[in-house]
Amino acid sequence: MKIYEIGTGYTPIPAQMGAATEIVVEELTRALIKNGEDAEIIDIKARARAKNQLPITEVNVPSMFTKTDVSLGIMHKLKRVVYSVALASKLKKILKSTKEKVVFHFHNQYNMFFFLKLVPKKLREKAILAYTVHSYIWGTEWEKIEATVKKKYFQEVFSVKNADAVFVLNDITIDHFVNRLSVNKEKIHKVLNGVNVERYAPLPVDEVDAFKRELSLDGKKVIFQVGSVCDRKSQLGSLMMLCDYLKAHSDTVYMYAGGIIDGDYQQSIINFAKENGIEEQVKYVGELAPGEELNKYYNAADVSVFTSTLESFGLVIIEAISSGTPVIIGKNLMFDLKSGFYMYHSEEEFVSLVASILDGGKTADFDGSEVVGKYNWNAVAKTHSELFEKL
């Protein structure tokens, strides 16, 4: 059975930036192949695709749409449509030529919506249609998202209702689909994302020390946060909670990484640091490449914090844990993980946890073995394969 993992068209695979869905497509495909499956990626044509050994079939689009657009504005939406139409044509050709049942695993609402609209039903029946819901929007109360779903996520609802299998990352999404949108519960499966435990792993102390010297962080304690720079990721919220602690501990640095989605929000972080006299302790390191580069930064940190207001899963959480770095998360980001992190319920508890970890009192009970064992991509890919076989 041939499995096609379908890239979203946002940024080329292998992902050269922290685009979570593209990382999932890349790592899942790699693990499926490692597990003996016949898997292939279908992705947007890229002029500067990173070197890789993955089987990738490219979908041609006009060159003006090949550039990654992180602003998420009108050009981004237009690119989604253009790529999705071209993708539907490519998938149609595959279905016409195949003599066996294939799996089309979609990861984006535009992609599957246009496939369903543009490819005849008779041809679509030659494929098992799987859809993974990555959207963070579903991770909160229905009353807060109902209007947004109707306006911006009608394509996702349509895709979910027409898929043979729907993979979700948390229980609240299941509840919304079943009880609010009347989706058949039998086809919904909670299948969590994974982490590449070879790429994200503890480094030798001498390597970490040398890297910290490169960053001018020698002798500093580092609090690290990864995520697109925007209100939802709440870097400013983290800094506000940490402000008094940083003032009292000049040897501590708050370091954050991620693409700047909202320039005004980034400026508000800079302004806050200056106004409070902690600008020398706040370090923005830009958009980091997934894998080796990002792993170095996790290792350079004494603790990673994730204070997002809304997430569907949070790949960066398990990446940090796999790298050997203790993690602090808010109660709203809870998922099936039972170890490797510390949870805060208030600002006071957040600061207390940070202080305890930086003082060495909390690291003794840090345990990342669950992530390495349960959340490695080979295990996650096996779950996908088993579900595809049943279908």
Side-chain angles (χ1 to χ4, degrees):
M1 178 175 61
K2 180 85 171 185
I3 302 170
Y4 292 95
E5 291 292 331
I6 300 173
T8 72
Y10 173 56
T11 181
I13 299 169
Q16 298 177 55
M17 55 185 289
T21 305
E22 281 63 34
I23 292 171
V24 169
V25 174
E26 173 190 349
E27 295 290 1
L28 178 56
T29 304
R30 183 178 286 113
L32 286 167
I33 293 171
K34 188 174 181 179
N35 290 349
E37 300 289 352
D38 184 5
E40 180 178 329
I41 293 173
I42 299 180
D43 191 32
I44 193 168
K45 185 175 182 180
R47 287 173 290 180
R49 191 183 303 280
K51 290 183 179 180
N52 68 93
Q53 295 181 327
L54 292 165
I56 300 175
T57 294
E58 293 190 322
V59 175
N60 291 319
V61 297
S63 59
M64 65 182 294
F65 295 111
T66 59
K67 183 180 178 181
T68 300
D69 175 18
V70 298
S71 67
L72 307 184
I74 186 65
M75 282 300 294
H76 170 80
K77 292 181 174 62
L78 184 57
K79 176 184 177 181
R80 292 285 203 194
V81 173
V82 170
Y83 169 66
S84 296
V85 171
L87 173 66
S89 177
K90 175 70 73 173
L91 298 181
K92 185 177 179 180
K93 290 178 181 178
I94 290 173
L95 291 176
K96 282 184 176 180
S97 63
T98 188
K99 294 182 180 180
E100 63 173 346
K101 199 84 167 180
V102 298
V103 174
F104 285 162
H105 186 184
F106 293 88
H107 297 262
N108 175 267
Q109 59 174 338
Y110 283 81
N111 300 162
M112 187 164 181
F113 179 84
F114 280 93
F115 170 80
L116 291 168
K117 291 294 186 181
L118 298 176
V119 177
K121 183 178 180 180
K122 188 173 181 179
L123 267 182
R124 298 201 310 263
E125 289 174 348
K126 297 176 73 174
I128 294 167
L129 304 181
Y131 183 82
T132 291
V133 181
H134 296 277
S135 312
Y136 65 83
I137 187 70
W138 303 101
T140 190
E141 295 88 347
W142 178 253
E143 291 72 24
K144 294 181 179 179
I145 65 171
E146 183 176 7
T148 303
V149 167
K150 291 179 179 178
K151 183 179 179 180
K152 296 183 178 181
Y153 289 86
F154 61 91
Q155 294 177 111
E156 183 144 85
V157 174
F158 185 76
S159 298
V160 166
K161 288 187 174 182
N162 285 277
D164 297 306
V166 180
F167 303 141
V168 301
L169 302 171
N170 49 62
D171 292 323
I172 193 170
T173 302
I174 298 175
D175 181 67
H176 291 329
F177 285 153
V178 174
N179 297 316
R180 301 293 183 172
L181 298 169
S182 302
V183 177
N184 180 2
K185 188 176 183 179
E186 297 301 315
K187 69 178 183 180
I188 302 177
H189 310 273
K190 187 166 74 169
V191 181
L192 304 180
N193 286 329
V195 61
N196 187 324
V197 298
E198 295 174 357
R199 299 176 80 181
Y200 295 100
L203 296 174
V205 174
D206 58 338
E207 285 188 32
V208 176
D209 290 342
F211 183 60
K212 290 185 73 171
R213 285 193 293 272
E214 286 180 29
L215 299 176
S216 299
L217 293 174
D218 193 25
K220 300 290 186 181
K221 295 181 180 179
V222 180
I223 304 165
F224 187 40
Q225 184 164 352
V226 184
S228 300
V229 181
C230 61
D231 184 63
R232 180 171 65 88
K233 297 294 186 177
S234 194
Q235 289 89 353
L236 180 58
S238 297
L239 191 56
M240 292 173 71
M241 288 191 288
L242 291 167
C243 184
D244 289 342
Y245 184 87
L246 291 174
K247 287 180 180 180
H249 297 81
S250 59
D251 64 339
T252 302
V253 171
Y254 170 72
M255 180 172 68
Y256 63 109
I260 299 175
I261 301 298
D262 185 337
D264 291 339
Y265 187 77
Q266 165 70 343
Q267 189 60 49
S268 70
I269 297 172
I270 296 171
N271 292 343
F272 180 85
K274 287 182 178 179
E275 290 165 4
N276 287 276
I278 55 173
E279 63 266 35
E280 296 300 320
Q281 293 170 264
V282 178
K283 187 179 182 68
Y284 173 60
V285 292
E287 176 79 58
L288 302 177
E292 182 180 355
E293 182 180 31
L294 181 53
N295 185 55
K296 287 182 179 180
Y297 279 85
Y298 283 132
N299 273 267
D302 295 278
V303 59
S304 290
V305 298
F306 300 100
T307 57
S308 299
T309 58
L310 194 60
E311 293 285 353
S312 61
F313 181 79
L315 277 180
V316 290
I317 297 173
I318 56 176
E319 287 173 357
I321 296 171
S322 183
S323 299
T325 304
V327 171
I328 298 174
I329 65 174
K331 63 178 181 179
N332 59 311
L333 299 186
M334 184 59 178
F335 48 98
D336 285 1
L337 196 61
K338 295 180 175 61
S339 61
F341 68 94
Y342 305 98
M343 184 179 295
Y344 72 93
H345 300 78
S346 66
E347 178 178 338
E348 292 75 17
E349 187 176 11
F350 175 80
V351 176
S352 176
L353 284 169
V354 169
S356 181
I357 291 172
L358 294 186
D359 290 342
K362 266 289 182 186
T363 53
D365 60 353
F366 172 76
D367 180 11
S369 60
E370 182 190 8
V371 162
V372 175
K374 180 180 178 181
Y375 286 83
N376 71 80
W377 272 116
N378 290 342
V380 174
K382 184 178 179 181
T383 302
H384 280 83
S385 297
E386 290 171 350
L387 288 170
F388 291 150
E389 288 295 339
K390 288 180 181 178
L391 289 168

